[in-house]
């Protein structure tokens, strides 16, 4: 289109002497090489060229289809509805059940609109009359400070004059939506009821959990980070008649991806706000049940399949096979919480590894020597070696971390459809965007790098094990545990007879959050590395996995921890790590208790 409109104008640019003209959205000619903007009028007139100055007196341009300057009237909840629709469609395209969008997420969205009194109610929150913030002629002369200060108004002012719209429905410089001012008012922000970008992901996760889909919270965040689910620049999918500027940028701009902990808490708060009933039961045939979810993480961590038998024993003895422990009921009691299915499965695997290999920086290497001796005597080499597994996983983990760092560095966070604070600032922002894009293209030509990170197909696994191209290493799933288990009275038990654990402090969960930083220096390095491995797989901090391991150990070791508590009352100094018999650990499960 630019070539057709600029074909008759061949005057060199005064700045770079190039003849490569384009037409901006404002109808002005600009040089594509140096982005020098020149003047333009209707009719073709004389053109004068002087050294250091270039002026186009007049060039006619045929007017095309007429468009409204402000688009149509729309509410902020409509914008979030478009985003939720895009996120639901992306999930369905990746294999989520087809009825997830209409039968689950749509119903949750209707419940939210009704509970927040934005729709499906006789007393909606947005009933105030919109007053004129500025006329079209005044909007060009308003300073930018007045635009940003509108969000600082308090009380009833924000619901009326700060809305940024006139009584006839036309947008002003304040925002493109009708109710952006009310969303940003201090009163509304204190309630925490209105929708946000983070709440869209929380609502999607609640829908996935209700539909009993195999996607965990870690999977959802990874798909968002890889761009398979719209989030960071989700406003780019809005229809053309929905214009975003001003305060809308503060509502729909997402400059970072929420953490696992924040999104988990947001989902629980949203479920209690909606007063959702008990979710469908997590039965043993559901992929979120520990028996099946641990099998998946054993596969991804390249651990032997035989280890799943020991994980299943732990699940049975601790009572986690009970469906009621995994069924989410947000309104059952005030102490109800949303289970961390993914972190819980990782903790079960770590406890099984400690049970078999002790992970005290000595025993696991001695057992590896025994495994190597068994492999030397056998031609098949089917015995699992922790040393070989560690070297393989460490190399793959280092490579994956480096790849993730490069992906984040090369990821294009800037939107192709920029948000601007006012219509007055549109031309300036678009010019800066063109300059930035041109500089980026020039640097890419010089460095020979690709314009962005290479897109990959969505997957629930970070590592691939086996033979062939593109794999991270050989598979160790078929290896046996003969070197770490022995037969005793007709049953298998670990050859390691000692199980250690940190001091299980009885803390108030409302006061204490985590003691990981305090005890990190005293923990074995192999144990810390295993925490780091599963933390990377799940996209959480190692302290989160550590706390979940402690919760699981408390279920086993209640009687032992009570003995330690009595010893502390007698002022007996306790060791930093406590050891118990692993045989007792398996054959004498303790009743459940909470910290």
């Amino acid at each position: 289109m630019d070539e057709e409109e600029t074909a008759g104008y061949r005057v060199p640019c005064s700045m770079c002497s190039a003849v490569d003209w384009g037409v901006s959205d404002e109808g002005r000619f600009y040089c594509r090489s140096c982005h020098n903007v020149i003047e333009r009028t209707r009719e073709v007139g004389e053109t004068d060229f002087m050294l250091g100055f270039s002026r186009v007196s007049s060039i006619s341009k045929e007017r095309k289809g007429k468009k409204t300057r402000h688009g149509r009237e729309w509410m902020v909840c409509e914008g979030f509805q478009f985003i939720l629709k895009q996120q639901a469609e992306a999930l369905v395209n990746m294999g989520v059940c087809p009825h997830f969008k209409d039968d689950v997420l749509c119903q949750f969205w209707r419940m939210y609109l009704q509970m927040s009194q934005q729709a499906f109610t006789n007393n909606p929150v947005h009933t105030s009359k919109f007053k004129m913030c500025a006329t079209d002629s005044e909007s060009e002369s308003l300073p930018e400070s007045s635009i940003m200060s509108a969000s600082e108004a308090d009380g009833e002012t924000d619901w009326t004059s700060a809305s940024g719209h006139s009584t006839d429905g036309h947008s002003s410089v304040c925002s493109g939506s009708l109710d952006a001012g009310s969303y940003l008012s201090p009163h509304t922000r204190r309630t925490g009821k209105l929708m946000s970008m983070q709440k869209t992901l929380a609502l999607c996760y609640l829908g996935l959990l209700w539909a009993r889909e195999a996607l965990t919270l870690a999977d959802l965040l990874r798909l968002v980070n890889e761009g398979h689910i719209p989030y960071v620049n989700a406003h780019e999918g809005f229809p053309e008649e929905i214009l975003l500027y001003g305060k809308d940028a503060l509502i729909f701009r997402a400059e970072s991806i929420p953490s696992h902990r924040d999104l988990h808490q947001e989902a629980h708060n949203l479920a209690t706000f909606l007063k959702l009933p008990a979710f469908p039961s997590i039965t043993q045939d559901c992929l979120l049940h520990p028996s099946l979810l641990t099998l998946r993480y054993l596969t991804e961590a390249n651990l032997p399949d035989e280890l799943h038998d020991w994980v299943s024993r732990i699940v049975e003895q601790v009572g986690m096979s009970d469906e009621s422990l995994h069924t989410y009921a947000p309104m059952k009691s005030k102490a109800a919480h949303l289970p961390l299915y993914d972190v819980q499965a990782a903790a079960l695997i770590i406890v099984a590894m400690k049970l078999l290999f002790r992970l005290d920086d000595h025993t696991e290497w001695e057992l590896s020597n025994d495994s190597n001796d068994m492999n030397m005597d056998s031609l098949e080499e089917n015995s699992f070696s922790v040393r070989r597994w560690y070297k393989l996983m460490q190399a793959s983990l280092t490579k994956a971390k480096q790849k993730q760092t490069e992906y984040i560095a090369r990821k294009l966070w800037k939107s192709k459809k920029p948000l601007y604070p006012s219509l007055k600032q549109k031309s300036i922002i678009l010019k800066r965007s063109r300059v930035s894009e041109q500089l980026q293209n020039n640097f890419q030509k010089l460095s020979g790098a690709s314009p962005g990170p290479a897109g990959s197909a969505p997957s629930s696994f970070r590592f691939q094990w086996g033979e062939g191209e593109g794999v991270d290493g050989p598979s160790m799933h078929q290896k046996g545990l003969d070197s770490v288990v022995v037969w005793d009275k007709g049953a298998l038990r670990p050859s390691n007879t000692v199980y250690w654990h940190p001091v299980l402090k009885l803390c108030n969960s409302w006061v204490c959050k985590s003691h990981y930083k305090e005890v990190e220096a005293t923990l074995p390095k192999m144990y810390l590395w295993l925490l780091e491995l599963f933390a990377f797989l799940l996209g959480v901090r190692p302290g989160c996995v550590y706390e979940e391991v402690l919760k699981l150990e408390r279920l086993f070791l209640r009687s032992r921890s009570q003995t330690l508590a009595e010893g502390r009352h007698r002022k007996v100094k306790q060791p930093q790590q406590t050891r118990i018999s692993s045989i007792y650990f398996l054959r004498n499960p303790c009743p459940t208790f909470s910290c």
Side-chain angles (χ1 to χ4, degrees):
M1 296 299 296
D2 289 352
E3 288 76 6
E4 297 177 2
E5 297 169 352
T6 61
Y9 185 68
R10 310 299 299 172
V11 177
C13 176
S14 62
M15 303 300 294
C16 62
S17 301
V19 185
D20 188 10
W21 299 101
V23 180
S24 65
D25 294 341
E26 293 77 23
R28 292 189 175 187
F29 276 34
Y30 70 92
C31 178
R32 293 180 177 177
S33 178
C34 65
H35 297 277
N36 177 36
V37 182
I38 60 178
E39 296 182 2
R40 171 187 176 278
T41 55
R42 290 285 180 184
E43 300 176 359
V44 178
E46 295 180 358
T47 57
D48 300 327
F49 175 73
M50 298 178 60
L51 184 62
F53 174 79
S54 179
R55 177 186 178 89
V56 178
S57 299
S58 58
I59 291 181
S60 62
K61 178 180 179 182
E62 182 180 358
R63 180 178 293 274
K64 298 182 180 179
K66 183 179 180 181
K67 296 183 179 179
T68 58
R69 180 179 180 183
H70 302 285
R72 70 170 179 86
E73 295 180 3
W74 62 284
M75 309 290 286
V76 172
C77 62
E78 291 183 71
F80 284 116
Q81 184 165 302
F82 275 109
I83 294 176
L84 284 170
K85 179 175 177 291
Q86 295 173 19
Q87 293 173 345
E89 291 175 348
L91 289 169
V92 171
N93 293 335
M94 286 185 289
V96 175
C97 56
H99 67 272
F100 167 77
K101 174 184 173 183
D102 297 328
D103 297 344
V104 181
L105 189 61
C106 183
Q107 299 300 325
F108 281 0
W109 175 242
R110 290 175 180 174
M111 292 176 62
Y112 166 78
L113 291 177
Q114 185 176 18
M115 296 295 293
S116 60
Q117 296 183 347
Q118 298 184 70
F120 306 105
T121 178
N122 296 326
N123 186 25
V125 293
H126 307 300
T127 56
S128 302
K129 293 182 179 180
F130 297 109
K131 296 182 179 180
M132 184 180 297
C133 179
T135 60
D136 291 344
S137 60
E138 294 171 347
S139 63
E140 299 298 332
S141 59
L142 283 177
E144 186 177 357
S145 59
S146 64
I147 300 171
M148 304 309 295
S149 62
S151 63
E152 300 174 0
D154 195 4
E156 296 296 329
T157 307
D158 267 334
W159 289 81
T160 55
S161 60
S163 61
H165 286 266
S166 59
T167 55
D168 59 356
H170 289 295
S171 305
S172 72
V173 3
C174 293
S175 65
S177 59
L178 287 172
D179 55 342
S182 63
Y183 258 73
L184 297 175
S185 66
H187 170 74
T188 308
R189 282 184 290 180
R190 282 194 296 267
T191 60
K193 296 180 180 180
L194 297 184
M195 183 57 62
S196 63
M197 289 299 298
Q198 184 168 301
K199 280 188 174 68
T200 60
L201 293 181
L203 200 64
C204 286
Y205 178 64
L206 291 177
L208 292 170
L209 185 58
W210 186 276
R212 302 205 319 164
E213 289 293 332
L215 286 176
T216 62
L217 185 58
D219 296 331
L220 181 65
L221 287 173
R222 183 164 68 249
L223 292 174
V224 170
N225 189 31
E226 294 176 356
H228 301 297
I229 298 178
Y231 182 75
V232 175
N233 296 320
H235 65 275
E236 294 180 354
F238 282 12
E240 294 183 359
E241 62 269 18
I242 292 184
L243 302 180
L244 283 81
Y245 58 89
K247 294 182 180 179
D248 300 328
L250 303 178
I251 299 174
F252 293 99
R253 179 185 295 165
E255 297 182 346
S256 62
I257 297 173
S259 65
H260 188 283
R261 178 179 179 180
D262 292 341
L263 189 56
H264 175 265
Q265 185 63 40
E266 188 73 68
H268 176 66
N269 294 339
L270 189 58
T272 54
F273 171 71
L274 298 178
K275 298 181 179 179
L276 295 177
F279 279 54
S281 300
I282 303 298
T283 57
Q284 292 189 0
D285 60 343
C286 179
L287 294 178
L288 292 178
H289 194 273
S291 298
L292 296 180
L293 196 56
T294 52
L295 184 59
R296 169 192 161 182
Y297 290 131
L298 285 173
T299 302
E300 186 163 12
N302 202 19
L303 288 167
D305 295 338
E306 292 185 8
L307 190 61
H308 186 257
D309 297 335
W310 295 93
V311 174
S312 300
R313 293 189 187 185
I314 297 174
V315 171
E316 289 292 335
Q317 292 201 13
V318 81
M320 293 180 63
S321 57
D322 187 4
E323 297 177 3
S324 61
L325 295 178
H326 312 291
T327 301
Y328 180 43
M331 304 305 298
K332 184 177 181 180
S333 64
K334 293 183 179 180
H337 65 282
L338 179 59
L340 288 167
Y341 298 100
D342 41 11
V343 183
Q344 189 181 75
L348 284 167
I349 297 175
I350 294 175
V351 170
M353 291 287 289
K354 289 176 63 178
L355 185 67
L356 293 176
F357 301 98
R358 196 184 300 185
L359 302 181
D360 59 353
D361 292 339
H362 299 286
T363 306
E364 63 268 24
W365 308 126
E366 295 177 358
L367 294 174
S368 296
N369 295 333
D370 297 338
S371 176
N372 294 335
D373 295 339
M374 294 181 63
N375 289 330
M376 292 179 62
D377 298 336
S378 176
L379 298 177
E380 297 180 356
E381 297 185 358
N382 287 331
S383 183
F384 176 76
S385 172
V386 173
R387 180 180 286 106
R388 183 183 177 187
W389 172 75
Y390 169 77
K391 292 181 179 180
L392 179 63
M393 290 301 302
Q394 177 62 19
S396 301
L397 182 62
T398 304
K399 183 178 179 181
K401 286 183 177 180
Q402 182 179 1
K403 185 178 179 180
Q404 185 181 43
T405 303
E406 294 176 354
Y407 176 85
I408 295 175
R410 297 167 63 86
K411 185 175 181 178
L412 301 177
W413 294 91
K414 291 293 183 181
S415 172
K416 297 179 181 178
K417 186 180 178 181
L419 298 174
Y420 37 89
S422 67
L423 294 176
K424 181 180 178 181
Q425 302 292 326
K426 180 178 180 180
S427 59
I428 300 176
I429 294 177
L430 290 177
K431 181 178 179 180
R432 290 176 179 175
S433 178
R434 289 196 301 266
V435 173
S436 176
E437 185 178 354
Q438 184 66 27
L439 290 174
Q440 186 178 8
N441 292 334
N442 292 337
F443 279 119
Q444 288 171 0
K445 291 179 181 179
L446 292 174
S447 62
S450 57
S456 58
S459 175
S460 298
F461 295 93
R462 288 184 178 268
F463 299 111
Q464 296 180 2
W465 309 105
E467 299 179 356
E469 298 181 357
V471 298
D472 295 284
S475 172
M476 304 186 72
H477 300 146
Q478 304 302 324
K479 299 296 183 179
L481 299 176
D482 300 339
S483 60
V484 295
V485 295
V486 295
W487 284 94
D488 182 25
K489 298 180 181 180
L492 284 176
R493 68 169 181 85
S495 59
N496 167 46
T497 59
V498 175
Y499 182 92
W500 67 268
H501 65 85
V503 174
L504 301 177
K505 295 184 178 180
L506 299 178
C507 303
N508 186 353
S509 59
W510 294 98
V511 178
C512 297
K513 296 299 181 182
S514 176
H515 297 281
Y516 177 71
K517 292 297 183 182
E518 302 174 9
V519 300
E520 183 179 4
T522 64
L523 296 175
K525 295 182 179 179
M526 186 62 183
Y527 178 62
L528 292 174
W529 178 86
L530 194 61
L531 293 175
E532 182 183 356
L533 171 64
F534 282 98
F536 175 78
L537 293 178
L538 302 178
V540 300
R541 295 181 178 180
C544 180
V545 184
Y546 172 78
E547 293 298 329
E548 198 67 26
V549 172
L550 287 186
K551 291 179 182 179
L552 186 60
E553 290 177 338
R554 289 189 185 107
L555 297 178
F556 285 111
L557 310 174
R558 179 186 178 184
S559 60
R560 181 62 179 177
S561 62
Q562 289 178 344
T563 303
L564 295 177
E566 293 175 359
R568 284 195 293 268
H569 288 301
R570 293 192 300 267
K571 298 182 180 181
V572 177
K573 186 177 180 181
Q574 299 295 331
Q576 187 66 25
Q577 296 178 359
T578 306
R579 302 187 177 197
I580 63 172
S581 171
S582 61
I583 303 178
Y584 174 84
F585 186 85
L586 272 182
R587 295 181 179 176
N588 297 274
C590 301
T592 308
F593 82 108
S594 59
C595 176

